[in-house]
Amino acid sequence: MHVCDTPPDSGYVDILTSIFKTGKQDIMLKVIQVKRGDFRQDFVRLLTFIITIGILFPMSWYIYLNARSLELTEKLLYDAIGDTKVVLRNIKTFTTLPNLHMNMQNNVDLNPTLHTGTKKPVEQKQEDMQQKYTGWFSESFHFIINNEDICKASNESIDILIMITSAPQNKLSRNAIRETWLTHTKMNKGNIRYVFLLGESPMTKELEKENLHTKDIILGNFKDAYNNLTYKTLMGYQWATQHCRNAQFVMKTDDDMYVHIPGLIRVTKKNAKALQTAIGGSCALLANPIRDKRSKWYASFKSYPQTTYPGFCSGTGYVTSLNVVTKIVKTSKDVPFFHLEDVYVALCIKKLGLRLHPIGGFVLAYNFGNCTHNDNTLVTVHQVSVSMLKRIWETPCTPNKV
């Protein structure tokens, strides 16, 4: 047997094994220490990155917003300078209007709930439409459909004539109104009468057929469009002065409204004297034109160069006397056309030296759980769907009785 083949001593083996284990533990400890060092470095780097982002991001956002604001200001300034001649020309055109700056209530911005909304705007740029229609009113409209006997159906006096602006395609809304709150008119034979106001459209033939059964439509010789709501209202006023002179009061509203007739009667009686020289409803006594082209109520500098409106009563529903309606019709030929109907009526009111008369109860929410509250306060509810209108009407509630 060779020397190298001799089995190693067991004590020697134990020593070697111990050394090996100790070395392995040292190596593992060193690896752990290295990993801990790397973790600390990574954590410090991550913390530094977070702090840097926390500082730089707000600074970058602030710089961006200021740069954007400067860009918009520069653009608006350029637009204003570019339109200088047009603005000056329109200011000259509007010299017949009264001074629009009023020291009344605090200035308020136009609100969507304060404007009519029964139709979508026509597919044309609003600025082009406004420039096209800026001008003077003709003295009279031609009635393509004219139910001139509505106010002559009986000898009894007419307390209120209700004029409802509608879109040709809204037959369901018209029928729903006829079947609910217009039943107070007793099929247009009571002391409250009504008409629907529309313009010409591809649906004129269908409207003529509808009118054969309802006999409550007044259709004028102008295009039915959202920007022509002023035409609709002035046409209705002209019709009232020609064919309904026995009405004491005139209300203008839209086909997406619920009108609480008991409340309407209540406020006309209570404000009868004031309405001889005023128009009443949900009124803002001073307001700013909206210059944002994306807005439904956008008013370009070309169509309205002044910085403020003289206030307005929301076109969703306002009421006045036939005396005021007659005066508005007469003065309208001296007031340039403006596409926002409620503002245009306010311009006429201001020119006449009359006033806006805020009345509570207009543009409220219907309270299904409090009929007494509705009876004592409610006059109109805005943006009412056909189903909601029927729900309001079918809810057992004494205020629906006159």
Side-chain angles (χ1 to χ4, degrees), residues 331-347:
T331 199
S332 64
K333 64 181 182 296
D334 296 322
V335 179
F337 175 90
F338 188 60
H339 68 290
L340 298 179
E341 149 261 328
D342 41 15
V343 175
Y344 181 83
V345 170
L347 291 171

Side-chain angles (χ1 to χ4, degrees), residues 310-335:
F312 60 88
C313 292
S314 168
T316 57
Y318 50 78
V319 64
T320 188
S321 61
L322 187 68
N323 174 54
V324 172
V325 166
T326 303
K327 292 179 178 180
I328 290 176
V329 170
K330 289 180 179 178
T331 199
S332 64
K333 64 181 182 296
D334 296 322
V335 179

Side-chain angles (χ1 to χ4, degrees), residues 33-275:
Q33 289 176 356
V34 170
K35 286 186 177 180
R36 286 180 178 176
D38 291 342
F39 174 78
R40 290 193 189 96
Q41 291 179 359
D42 290 341
F43 177 79
V44 171
R45 289 173 183 170
L46 179 61
L47 184 61
T48 303
F49 176 77
I50 292 173
I51 294 173
T52 303
I53 290 298
I55 296 173
L56 291 180
F57 180 78
M59 291 179 61
S60 302
W61 184 247
Y62 176 82
I63 294 172
Y64 169 79
L65 290 179
N66 278 271
R68 178 64 177 166
S69 175
L70 182 62
E71 178 185 348
L72 291 174
T73 303
E74 182 181 0
K75 183 180 186 302
L76 288 174
L77 181 61
Y78 174 80
D79 289 344
I81 295 173
D83 288 344
T84 299
K85 293 182 179 179
V86 178
V87 170
L88 290 177
R89 183 172 67 250
N90 279 307
I91 290 175
K92 184 177 180 180
T93 302
F94 273 75
T95 53
T96 57
L97 294 179
N99 184 9
L100 299 183
H101 300 276
M102 300 168 59
N103 295 322
M104 302 177 76
Q105 294 185 347
N106 291 333
N107 197 13
V108 296
D109 289 331
L110 290 176
N111 190 301
T113 62
L114 296 180
H115 276 285
T116 54
T118 60
K119 297 166 293 301
K120 293 182 180 180
V122 293
E123 297 297 328
Q124 187 174 352
K125 291 183 178 180
Q126 292 189 25
E127 186 171 359
D128 293 340
M129 292 286 288
Q130 293 170 26
Q131 185 176 4
K132 177 180 178 181
Y133 291 127
T134 299
W136 305 94
F137 256 103
S138 60
E139 294 189 6
S140 62
F141 290 93
H142 171 64
F143 305 120
I144 298 173
I145 299 178
N146 182 11
N147 289 283
E148 58 186 21
D149 294 332
I150 283 178
C151 293
K152 300 176 184 178
S154 67
N155 294 325
E156 62 182 285
S157 63
I158 297 173
D159 295 331
I160 306 171
L161 169 66
I162 302 176
M163 303 189 311
I164 308 160
T165 59
S166 184
Q169 68 273 16
N170 290 358
K171 184 177 180 179
L172 288 177
S173 296
R174 290 191 293 275
N175 284 337
I177 293 173
R178 291 178 182 121
E179 294 167 2
T180 55
W181 56 268
L182 281 182
T183 58
H184 289 301
T185 67
K186 301 175 182 177
M187 299 184 68
N188 253 348
K189 290 178 171 54
N191 58 356
I192 298 176
R193 308 291 167 88
Y194 74 94
V195 291
F196 286 101
L197 306 177
L198 296 103
E200 291 186 271
S201 72
M203 296 183 65
T204 296
K205 292 297 182 183
E206 286 86 343
L207 290 172
E208 290 175 344
K209 293 178 181 178
E210 179 182 339
N211 182 67
L212 288 175
H213 300 283
T214 61
K215 299 187 183 303
D216 57 7
I217 291 175
I218 308 298
L219 193 146
N221 60 330
F222 55 87
K223 182 179 180 180
D224 195 292
Y226 180 79
N227 281 315
N228 279 351
L229 280 174
T230 300
Y231 281 159
K232 284 187 181 180
T233 301
L234 266 293
M235 176 193 70
Y237 277 3
Q238 287 188 12
W239 184 89
T241 60
Q242 295 175 26
H243 303 295
C244 202
R245 295 198 59 81
N246 51 336
Q248 296 183 48
F249 300 99
V250 179
M251 180 191 192
K252 181 269 166 184
T253 189
D254 300 326
D255 66 5
D256 63 345
M257 300 292 294
Y258 167 69
V259 178
H260 189 58
I261 298 298
L264 178 62
I265 294 173
R266 172 178 49 81
V267 297
T268 53
K269 288 180 178 180
K270 184 178 179 180
N271 299 275
K273 184 177 179 180
L275 293 177

